[in-house]
Amino acid sequence: MDREPSQLPGPRIETLLVGCVASTGVNGAGMSLTSRAGSPEAVYGSDDVAGAVERLQVTLGEGPCIDSVTSGLPVLVDDLEGVRSAVADRWPVFALEARRLGVRALFAFPLRIGAISLGAVDLHRLAPGPLAADELSSALSVMDAVAESLLDVRTGYSGHDGGPTLSTPAIHQAAGRIMVQLGCSIEDALVRLRAAAFAEGVPIHALADAVVAGERRFQEDDR
Amino acid sequence: MNEPGATGRQPAVLSREALLAESFVVLADTLVDDYDVVDLLDRLVHACVDLLGIAEAGLMLVDQRGGLQLMASTSEAAHLMELFQVQSVEGGPCVEASRSGATVSVEDVAADSRWPRFSRAASAVGFSSTHAVPMRLRSETIGALNLFNREGPALSAADQRIARALADVATIGILQQRSLHRTSLLAEQLQSALSTRVVIEQAKGVLAEHGALGMDQAFSRLRDFARRRNLKLGAVAEAVVRRDVSPDEVLATYS
């Protein structure tokens, strides 16, 4: 289940990110993923600037993307110059370099499912200004889909119909139960749940309900 | 009613005014620097039930993706969960209050025709009336508090004002100025709350499996452990899921 470094894991994710650039009216999107060792790696940029924004942050170890991975929260910077002192205090070198690339606004979103931290996506604009409410809404929905797709890459299948699976509490409760049943990480537990639902052709929330109710258990030799 | 100050002793049963004052103090106390939003909302729904004598309360926050997510409820019973699920899909008082920013009252659930599936589900489990109070500050509505009554008359105007006041305290807490930009603040606060809720669900699963508990019990133990140790609920949940704290330690609080 190891990711290849510096390689985008799957065409669906690129489609999602390119679509996100259009729907949020930004100039580019970049993504960094957390390696198993815990350090972020730059894996994608929709253009040269977006790629450079990712590499800069990963190399410097500072920037909105890094903060977003650490805190699990969106970090929305409307204007890298507007709040000069605050931004400079937080990311002194990055702020300077990003402005040199022409980036004026940067919006970082965590790819996170509860305690599972997968990485973060940066959306950048060459002009300052906040994301409008509908753009924010669109970005957040895409991030959910990207996080799910990253799990799918690990599960080894693709092209499922998506849907609001991650907003169902029972799925997360079931993942917690499976984590104990298998003695694995929460991430692997969720991957196993999704893989089992796919393999058995049942909706994931139905399988999750059965796990929560104790009617279905996972064992090491399940596949 | 007790006469406050008539004796130097604490009355055995707090008057409603005293209970109300205490609830505000507890909520305000929760709002110190680095408070946990889910814990705040959990206290809020329980305060509503204690103060208003209603059957159950739940609270949904906007998820900024066009929907609402249940953040806190006085019970995890399936029938209550379903009432929020139905609203997410087909609308209902909580969704309407979040959208309009105004209180929505359903005085007679059985006779109300605005949200047929919601009304059917609510009367099936014996709720007679329900009120949804928006979580609103100025032009921003971030969700709604849903109150359910099992019998007797619907909530009085005075009780609705109390509910509104409690909801306001929580709303101000969530929207309080912590960052330079309003949109970024709101997104951080709401997304943080939603993410915390997911971690809590994961931790409940771990504790339920480990201790052979129901999800309701798993949540109470997690919450009580966090409160006794004066830790953030979300931080404890995350530690459980990451195996930084053993489930035995969390569950031992009760034995």
Side-chain angles (χ1 to χ4, degrees), chain A residues 73-74 76 78 86 112-115 136-137 140-141 144 167 172-173 176-177 179-181 183-184 186 217, chain B residues 64-65 69 76 180-181 184 187-188 191-192 198-199 201-202 204-206 208-209 213 215 238 241-243:
Chain A
L73 296 177
L76 310 178
D78 301 348
R112 192 177 269 234
I113 304 165
L136 176 68
S137 165
L140 288 168
S141 301
D144 292 345
S167 66
H172 306 301
Q173 295 168 3
R177 271 191 180 274
M179 179 183 136
V180 176
Q181 289 168 6
C184 64
I186 189 71
R217 301 184 60 81
Chain B
Q64 299 188 301
R65 294 153 171 84
Q69 297 291 332
E76 296 250 331
L180 292 165
H181 298 286
S184 102
E188 275 181 32
Q191 296 314 314
S192 163
V198 174
V199 184
E201 299 305 338
Q202 292 170 337
K204 278 159 61 180
V206 171
E209 178 68 24
L213 302 168
M215 290 299 162
E238 181 137 0
V241 177
R242 291 181 187 272
R243 292 197 172 87

Side-chain angles (χ1 to χ4, degrees), chain B residues 103-125:
Chain B
T103 297
V104 175
S105 298
V106 182
E107 311 252 335
D108 182 354
V109 165
D112 197 88
S113 58
R114 282 173 285 180
W115 305 286
R117 265 197 69 189
F118 170 80
S119 296
R120 265 200 310 280
S123 21
V125 294

